[in-house]
Amino acid sequence: MDAEHSEICDFVFAHHPFDRLPKEKWAEVVKSLSLEYQRRGSTVLEPGASNTALHVIRSGAVEIRDAQGAVLAQLGEGDVFGARSLLRGGKVKHSVTMLEDTLLYQLPGEVFSSLCQRYPQFAYYFQAEGGQRLRDALNGNFGPGEANAELATIPITKMLQRAAVMLPSSASIANAAQAMTAQRVSCILVVDNGQLIGILTDRDIRSRGVAVGVSVDQPITSIMTPTPHSIASNVYAFDAMLAMVRHNVHHLPVLDHGRPVGVISATDLMRQRTASPVFLVSDIDKQTDVEGLARVSAQLPKILVSMVDADATAHSTAKIISAIGEALTCRLLDLAQEKLGPPPVPFVWLTAGSLARYEQTAHSDQDNALLLDDAFDPDLHGAYFEQLSRLVCDGLNACGYVYCPGNVMASNTQWRQPLRVWKRYFNEWIGSPEPKALMHVSIFFDLRCLYGAEPLYQQLQLHVTHKTASNHIFLAYMAANALHYHPPLGFFRNLVLVRGGEHDQTLDLKHRGVIPIVDLARVYALSSGSADITTQDRLAAVAGKGELSAQGAEDLRDAFEFISVTRLRHQARRIKSGQIADNFMAPSELSNFEREHLKDAFRVVLTLQAALEQRYQSGRFQ
Amino acid sequence: MFKWLPGLERRRRRLLRNAPPGPLADYLRTPFPSRKSPVNEVEFLAVDLETTGLDPKQDEILSIGCVPIRHLRITLGGSSSMLLKPEGAIPASSAVVHRIFDDQAAQGMPLTQAIPLLLRQLSGKVLVAHHAPIETEFLRQACRRLYACDVVFPTVDTLVLERRWIDRRQVTLASGGLRLAAIRDRYGLPRYPVHNALSDALATAELLLAQIAYRGGARQVRLKHLLI
């Protein structure tokens, strides 16, 4: 006599969060359901009314609008609504109107609350704040992918295979070779009185010793690398990898309070399947022409895929990819100077945009500029720097970092200027901001010295920080600029729902995903006088300081990471299928898990944008 | 047409006089809903039967699915599904359709047990079916056999409703256009992959809600607009 509604079970319990309920509960839930058919245009909930049920859309579609009539969401098959009003005692705030003829399943409010009480995993879905859900998603297993320990979470000490093999500086090359053979290691640390003074690899013995006829009786100091790059023992595998990529080394001594405790090698990283960036960077340094560099650079998409496959965080991946971009630029500058001779006056190669923020993914456009010493004389030195810039910009283009469409490149005279002119530029941007300047502002306020005379750059940086922090008008302009791009409201079937109720076919993960957060972080950082450049650092630096609550900063950082990972995964999928890595993702590519958490991430950004907008409009932004 | 429901009501009373005490008499004792009632005040029961064939005189009922509608809402808590044990073997030709086989049917309840349960559910309600003659004729035949007395149901046939509407609008339909799934499709109702008495009863109940919504809902539709 009992009715088993398989067609209803199959639907309801395939959808989140009903899929979180145990199977023995299904029959009871189904029994409590009632069904209603609503024609297109009819309204089931209105502000002020009382809602008594959780509504599940079985077929059709609905639109949710706020009391002012702005579209908040469009929902389709399998989506639910009415939970928020139930959670606040039934009071309806938004109107719900049928976009299509719709069949609704209704779960009575009492059943809903008892399910929420008994099943936290069910209740979780309906929490008003998405921040915590995002955090859990990031901390837990990111989606159904294989659970691979992430480089950023493996302590370096866990990767040390054995204690370091150490010799005093008085040891001979022969001693070192014997020790390496006996201990089966490829590298020894040269240590005097507990202090690391050098590192010697088997390769050094070969290339700096035997190959050039140095006697094996000579002390190891004659062929070792003195004062090598090292890392502290309390860092993570990722830091080791980044250090190897940055310094182009394959062995890193690990120091515990200055005392050598081991050596981490690129081979150790290889066990984590992600050593390739280290080898790529050493390849870069071996190249002697642009063609060679372009060949190496073509490996970049593969690196991205391997990082994504190893479940690296977006933060780690972008840092590595950016470090490779950096290495390429440095090598191009070295090659250019080999060709043109030493620079006539000190210079700084400035990098702007995503590379400056260490947030590059696949090959991006190049954004760069040249900062010259004030001794620069266009008549005398102009030709040199023009050639230098052209060689590097052309080289970058050949390596896949295509010319900047806005011509923000050192090869453009406007962006190849001495310090005094740069100061004047910034004075203009800060002092009389206008819409056209703002495009440059968002590029040049993410600025970093990539190569060259660091002190020269510091002068500029000091000038800029000093000028911006207290300039309210400029900050208000920046705030307005940060509200230029908005994340979508959500998804509607396989479409992206954007402000005003329009639909996009694809989700632009750059402009509707990461850029709104990057822009917010920049405004917060500038207003608090922070000189940090990466979005994560900026948000960490400003957390809890006036503009942004600690909670808001944490939510925003998680939103940034989640959106960035989604973007990287999309790019990795594209690369694997032989396509160009782009930023346009069809909603059908998203798993339910990703969809739900992306919506949470968007909500975090929209909320903080709204807060900024309010402050900005009411003139309270400072 | 005009006098139909009073006719129906008259018939109910006359049959009640002949019915032996028991489930059928109990059913017939409850007055039918008024023809003039707005549809949201009427209780409906969508019924679907799976049978061994199409001839009520020879074929048998294998299962009965019921889904109630109250205040223009389907309440799943009130739905039911019964499996019946036929007296004869199930012909292979019908088993292909309803997928009920002999050993499964052997677990079912006898007709003598099922019909009282159904009559109790139908009491005071309007029977809804898609192509209702199958349901009503099989049920009449069952009552005649069990109680030696006929029965009458106020009935809404979703197929007849749809045809009436189509005739009025002079729309031409492709063949098969009046099948339950095809009509549901036109109302944007989901496709149900499984076919059994319960699922078809639910499909019929949903269709009736859609048809009522399209005819103006509770404000404009009265029971008399729906009855056969």
Side-chain angles (χ1 to χ4, degrees):
Chain A
M1 179 87 186
D2 237 12
E4 199 181 295
H5 284 286
S6 58
E7 66 289 304
I8 291 181
C9 279
D10 288 353
F11 180 82
V12 171
F13 300 104
H15 284 87
H16 205 53
F18 291 94
D19 58 351
R20 299 291 144 131
L21 296 173
K23 207 164 179 175
E24 59 269 21
K25 202 79 190 166
W26 288 12
E28 198 185 318
V29 170
V30 167
K31 255 190 193 169
S32 75
L33 292 178
S34 59
L35 280 65
E36 219 177 68
Y37 184 90
Q38 293 288 346
R39 273 196 77 177
R40 176 207 306 264
S42 64
T43 297
V44 289
L45 294 176
E46 272 172 309
S50 182
N51 176 33
T52 57
L54 178 75
H55 305 254
V56 183
I57 300 170
R58 176 57 180 87
S59 61
V62 310
E63 183 166 79
I64 303 183
R65 289 175 181 264
D66 65 16
Q68 284 73 45
V71 176
L72 296 177
Q74 288 174 346
L75 308 173
E77 293 81 1
D79 290 330
V80 296
F81 62 91
R84 297 272 166 83
S85 57
L86 285 179
L87 291 171
R88 60 172 168 258
K91 194 165 177 291
V92 176
K93 276 194 180 166
H94 305 136
S95 73
V96 181
T97 304
M98 304 301 116
L99 283 176
E100 298 171 4
D101 295 339
T102 299
L103 184 63
L104 293 171
Y105 293 171
Q106 289 151 339
L107 182 76
E110 318 83 76
V111 181
F112 172 72
S113 6
S114 89
L115 288 174
C116 282
Q117 268 168 27
R118 259 194 83 185
Y119 303 101
Q121 66 275 35
F122 178 78
Y124 184 62
Y125 176 83
F126 298 105
Q127 280 171 11
E129 298 304 326
Q132 186 57 44
R133 270 200 302 270
L134 263 181
R135 205 130 37 243
D136 294 347
L138 288 168
N139 292 339
N141 206 342
F142 195 109
E146 68 222 77
N148 221 321
E150 208 278 315
L151 286 173
T153 62
I154 308 171
I156 197 74
T157 45
K158 279 240 168 106
M159 295 187 73
L160 290 177
Q161 297 294 307
R162 49 167 304 153
V165 177
M166 299 186 265
L167 285 174
S169 58
S170 54
S172 67
I173 296 174
N175 294 149
Q178 284 152 11
M180 283 183 188
T181 308
Q183 307 276 341
R184 299 160 142 245
V185 292
S186 59
C187 129
I188 57 164
L189 300 182
V190 184
V191 177
D192 281 341
N193 305 319
Q195 292 297 308
L196 176 71
I197 61 162
I199 189 170
L200 186 73
T201 66
D202 53 359
R203 198 173 172 179
D204 294 335
I205 297 180
R206 177 159 39 91
S207 53
R208 295 182 195 161
V210 180
V212 293
V214 175
S215 158
V216 295
D217 298 326
Q218 287 291 308
I220 45 180
T221 46
S222 60
I223 59 166
M224 72 176 185
T225 305
T227 57
H229 294 287
S230 63
I231 51 167
S233 61
N234 61 351
V235 302
Y236 295 91
F238 168 72
D239 303 285
M241 174 166 164
L242 196 60
M244 288 187 202
V245 170
R246 290 233 172 106
H247 307 306
N248 185 22
V249 293
H250 289 188
H251 295 87
L252 278 173
V254 179
L255 305 183
D256 181 10
H257 296 96
R259 198 172 45 84
V261 292
V263 176
I264 193 95
S265 70
T267 323
D268 297 328
L269 289 176
M270 201 133 77
R271 290 192 191 95
Q272 303 294 331
R273 297 199 287 132
T274 43
S276 35
V278 182
F279 299 112
L280 190 79
V281 169
S282 43
D283 268 359
I284 289 173
D285 267 35
K286 282 181 209 143
Q287 301 308 316
T288 53
D289 53 27
V290 171
E291 291 70 35
L293 285 173
R295 245 190 336 269
V296 179
S297 177
Q299 301 299 310
L300 201 79
K302 274 190 202 156
I303 303 274
L304 187 138
V305 170
S306 78
M307 298 278 301
V308 170
D309 282 351
D311 279 348
T313 61
H315 188 56
S316 306
T317 308
K319 268 199 166 170
I320 291 293
I321 300 291
S322 304
I324 294 170
E326 225 170 13
L328 274 165
T329 312
C330 289
R331 188 66 193 140
L332 283 165
L333 279 157
D334 284 339
L335 291 175
Q337 287 174 91
E338 275 171 28
K339 195 166 180 176
L340 303 172
V345 298
F347 76 93
V348 169
W349 185 268
L350 295 170
T351 181
S354 62
L355 180 56
R357 293 192 308 269
Y358 296 104
E359 284 162 14
Q360 278 207 322
T361 58
H363 288 127
S364 330
D365 301 345
Q366 49 174 302
D367 291 314
N368 48 53
L370 212 52
L371 166 63
L372 305 165
D373 192 278
D374 276 336
F376 171 76
D377 177 340
D379 296 335
L380 292 176
H381 316 127
Y384 176 91
F385 287 110
E386 186 183 346
Q387 284 179 58
L388 179 90
S389 304
R390 193 149 302 287
L391 283 171
V392 178
C393 292
D394 291 350
L396 284 171
N397 187 60
C399 288
Y401 300 87
V402 296
Y403 296 123
C404 170
N407 208 6
V408 177
M409 292 185 290
S411 53
N412 177 351
T413 328
Q414 195 186 356
W415 309 125
R416 193 174 65 238
Q417 294 291 339
L419 179 63
R420 58 173 185 281
V421 177
W422 277 105
K423 283 184 177 170
R424 204 186 72 220
Y425 284 168
F426 276 95
N427 288 349
E428 282 165 10
W429 293 330
I430 297 164
S432 48
E434 45 173 297
K436 202 181 166 224
L438 284 170
M439 188 198 92
H440 292 138
V441 167
S442 61
I443 294 174
F444 284 116
F445 278 86
D446 300 345
L447 199 65
R448 194 154 57 79
C449 162
L450 192 145
Y451 186 105
E454 181 84 33
L456 187 58
Y457 172 67
Q458 280 161 2
Q459 290 182 56
L460 179 63
Q461 203 190 15
L462 208 68
H463 176 81
V464 173
T465 315
H466 179 73
K467 281 267 173 191
T468 48
S470 54
N471 191 319
H472 300 174
I473 295 170
F474 168 70
L475 289 171
Y477 266 94
M478 289 301 284
N481 192 44
L483 299 170
H484 187 70
Y485 293 109
H486 296 280
L489 298 170
F491 301 99
F492 175 62
R493 296 189 174 133
N494 279 329
L495 298 169
V496 181
L497 178 69
V498 300
R499 261 196 174 193
E502 303 284 302
H503 294 129
D504 285 350
Q505 297 289 327
T506 57
L507 171 60
D508 181 343
L509 286 160
K510 185 176 176 187
H511 293 102
R512 294 201 182 278
V514 296
I515 293 287
I517 305 179
V518 167
D519 285 349
L520 278 175
R522 186 185 303 113
V523 177
Y524 296 137
L526 289 175
S527 71
S528 73
S530 151
D532 288 296
I533 300 172
T534 80
T535 300
Q536 294 283 4
D537 290 347
R538 280 172 167 170
L539 292 174
V542 302
K545 287 190 195 155
E547 288 308 328
L548 186 62
S549 69
Q551 184 66 54
E554 200 183 353
D555 288 353
L556 212 44
R557 292 178 71 182
D558 290 335
F560 188 65
E561 174 66 21
F562 196 91
I563 293 170
S564 303
V565 169
T566 308
R567 178 192 192 193
L568 282 170
R569 291 192 159 192
H570 163 74
Q571 296 192 336
R573 272 194 297 269
R574 300 263 312 173
I575 292 165
K576 277 182 183 169
S577 62
Q579 293 164 295
I580 302 280
D582 65 8
N583 290 305
F584 298 97
M585 179 162 181
S588 57
E589 248 186 89
L590 292 165
S591 69
N592 272 339
F593 179 90
E594 289 170 315
R595 247 179 197 244
E596 292 307 327
H597 290 91
L598 273 179
K599 278 198 267 180
D600 284 339
F602 296 155
R603 217 168 289 139
V604 165
V605 180
L606 285 166
T607 306
L608 289 168
Q609 282 190 333
L612 184 70
E613 189 165 24
Q614 225 173 11
R615 285 181 71 85
Y616 159 65
Q617 281 176 345
S618 62
R620 279 188 293 122
F621 195 86
Q622 9 204 287
Chain B
M1 183 81 191
F2 174 82
K3 279 188 170 176
W4 239 91
L5 189 68
L8 208 65
E9 192 57 31
R10 224 173 19 245
R11 220 168 127 68
R12 175 182 73 80
R13 287 176 197 169
R14 203 179 61 228
L15 287 172
L16 178 59
R17 285 196 293 273
N18 300 336
L24 179 61
D26 293 345
Y27 166 76
L28 290 168
R29 197 165 293 121
T30 316
F32 292 153
S34 158
R35 266 172 63 87
K36 292 177 196 146
S37 305
V39 278
N40 57 333
E41 291 172 13
V42 178
E43 290 188 44
F44 299 89
L45 189 72
V47 177
D48 185 74
L49 303 184
E50 301 288 339
T51 59
T52 55
L54 295 175
D55 182 353
K57 293 222 165 62
Q58 285 174 24
D59 295 313
E60 297 187 74
I61 302 173
L62 288 171
S63 68
I64 304 175
C66 296
V67 172
I69 300 173
R70 214 179 153 208
H71 302 315
L72 290 186
R73 295 154 73 93
I74 295 166
T75 45
L76 292 182
S79 62
S80 66
S81 164
M82 291 181 273
L83 191 62
L84 276 69
K85 184 160 66 182
E87 284 163 10
I90 300 171
S93 59
S94 82
V96 173
V97 181
H98 47 64
R99 304 200 155 268
I100 299 171
F101 299 96
D102 288 327
D103 44 351
Q104 197 190 344
Q107 313 288 318
M109 60 178 84
L111 192 71
T112 48
Q113 198 182 328
I115 294 299
L117 288 172
L118 178 64
L119 286 173
R120 197 178 309 154
Q121 287 188 74
L122 271 169
S123 150
K125 298 194 183 113
V126 173
L127 184 149
V128 183
H130 194 72
H131 189 54
I134 291 281
E135 276 69 24
T136 52
E137 288 312 309
F138 267 87
L139 293 177
R140 287 177 71 186
Q141 186 61 28
C143 285
R144 283 188 214 113
R145 271 189 59 198
L146 296 178
Y147 312 114
C149 177
D150 202 356
V151 68
V152 60
F153 306 106
T155 304
V156 171
D157 188 331
T158 47
L159 185 144
V160 170
L161 276 184
E162 197 62 21
R163 191 189 295 136
R164 258 191 230 158
W165 205 29
I166 283 166
D167 288 348
R168 205 171 300 157
R169 293 185 308 160
Q170 296 182 312
V171 181
T172 34
L173 273 187
S175 79
L178 285 173
R179 290 214 323 267
L180 182 56
I183 302 175
R184 283 174 58 88
D185 233 29
R186 292 200 294 275
Y187 285 98
L189 289 165
R191 287 181 191 186
Y192 291 149
V194 257
H195 285 287
N196 57 48
L198 181 62
S199 155
D200 285 350
L202 177 66
T204 305
E206 289 173 356
L207 174 58
L208 179 64
L209 291 183
Q211 289 173 324
I212 291 172
Y214 264 78
R215 283 157 181 75
R219 248 178 254 154
Q220 290 180 37
V221 185
R222 289 172 187 273
L223 180 55
K224 64 179 178 187
H225 298 125
L226 303 178
L227 289 169
I228 316 182

